[in-house]
Amino acid sequence: SIAWSKPHTGIGSDGLVLIGSSDIADFSMHIYNADGSEAMMCGNASRCIGKYVYEAGLTQKNKVTLETLSGIKELQLKIECEEVTEVTVDMGKPAVGEIALEVEAGGEIYTGTVISMGNPHLVIFVDEMDQVDLASVGPLLECLPLFPDRTNVEFVQVLKPDEVRMRVWERGSGITQACGTGACATAVAAFLTGRAGRESIIIMDGGSLNIRWDIATRHVLMTGEATKVFDGKIELID
């Protein structure tokens, strides 16, 4: 994963996703971060998997189940002319920790909301995103002693009702263009702190996701596009 993720000498990615068989779901997923550590779950990777398995002819279903280290996820595929244009992932129930946790990093005090989407997140709302030096403060917050297994960190600015801007420092990968579980955690935190309703748009550097926290099931539903970039081959060396 480390070698393949390198942008100049490898494929260039935030991590490596492996699709396999499963005894309890249609497929299984393992995802490894750019630093080689294994992640519990990745929402964006799940959407990509849904598009891949259908368009590669590995399934003809428009509802696919996926085994992950944080449980079985259900993918609903929107199909137009045999192409998957959109995927909705049932991300399950969030686990809510402290809603107003004060932490210190780099001489600054931040107030964050702790959410788990099968992986840990610290969501911090700010007035101006441009004032956040994510490259400096991200690794400090990721490795706070409060989080022995480290944490993902989201900085969020409310743009208007039910629409927020989010930037993410991902545990094990650093600054990334988008994070599906992070978008879900952000939407949950926005609702819990009175900044948004149960459905909101999360705008990230890599695009936008629609997140709905269903009132009946309390499951978080993540909807977004998945786009094929290229095919290729890579040599495996022992």
Side-chain angles (χ1 to χ4, degrees):
S1 176
I2 295 174
W4 290 5
S5 295
K6 290 181 178 179
H8 299 296
T9 57
I11 298 169
S13 66
D14 299 330
L16 171 67
V17 182
L18 302 179
I19 306 170
S21 60
S22 171
D23 294 330
I24 57 176
D26 294 321
F27 300 94
S28 66
M29 174 186 82
H30 286 274
I31 177 164
Y32 298 89
N33 297 314
D35 68 355
S37 60
E38 186 170 6
M40 297 292 291
M41 169 60 183
C42 177
N44 288 335
S46 299
R47 294 202 326 280
C48 293
I49 288 172
K51 181 178 177 70
Y52 177 81
V53 295
Y54 183 87
E55 294 183 0
L58 300 179
T59 184
Q60 294 182 325
K61 297 180 179 180
N62 63 2
K63 185 176 288 186
V64 176
T65 54
L66 184 63
E67 179 187 356
T68 76
L69 291 183
S70 63
I72 297 176
K73 308 302 178 184
E74 185 177 278
L75 317 179
Q76 181 67 53
L77 314 182
K78 181 180 179 181
I79 301 166
E80 298 179 0
C81 301
E82 294 304 307
E83 180 182 352
V84 178
T85 58
E86 193 174 78
V87 180
T88 297
V89 185
D90 184 337
M91 301 290 285
K93 295 180 181 179
V96 179
E98 292 193 50
I99 295 178
L101 175 69
E102 287 195 352
V103 295
E104 188 275 333
E108 297 286 338
I109 302 296
Y110 299 93
T111 301
T113 301
V114 178
I115 304 289
S116 174
M117 292 301 310
N119 58 357
H121 295 269
L122 177 65
V123 183
I124 300 171
F125 290 92
V126 295
D127 294 329
E128 293 291 339
M129 187 71 74
D130 292 342
Q131 295 181 3
V132 177
D133 185 357
L134 187 56
S136 296
V137 74
L140 299 178
L141 292 168
E142 174 191 0
C143 297
L144 285 173
L146 284 168
F147 306 105
D149 295 322
R150 300 182 294 164
T151 188
N152 300 281
V153 182
E154 288 80 30
F155 280 93
V156 186
Q157 178 183 345
V158 177
L159 301 179
K160 55 185 179 182
D162 300 326
E163 185 174 300
V164 304
R165 169 89 168 90
M166 185 264 272
R167 294 191 69 204
V168 59
W169 177 274
E170 288 200 54
R171 177 180 62 169
S173 291
I175 296 174
T176 60
Q177 295 292 298
C179 176
T181 55
C184 293
T186 293
V188 171
F191 175 79
L192 291 174
T193 58
R195 291 177 166 90
R198 283 193 171 270
E199 186 166 354
S200 54
I201 297 172
I202 313 299
I203 302 171
M204 297 166 285
D205 292 341
S208 299
L209 291 172
N210 181 278
I211 309 295
R212 178 166 64 90
W213 192 8
D214 186 71
I215 193 171
T217 64
R218 292 188 60 80
H219 284 211
V220 178
L221 303 176
M222 177 189 70
T223 300
E225 299 177 347
T227 303
K228 181 178 179 179
V229 180
F230 62 83
D231 288 318
K233 295 181 179 180
I234 191 165
E235 184 178 0
L236 293 175
I237 301 175
D238 294 330

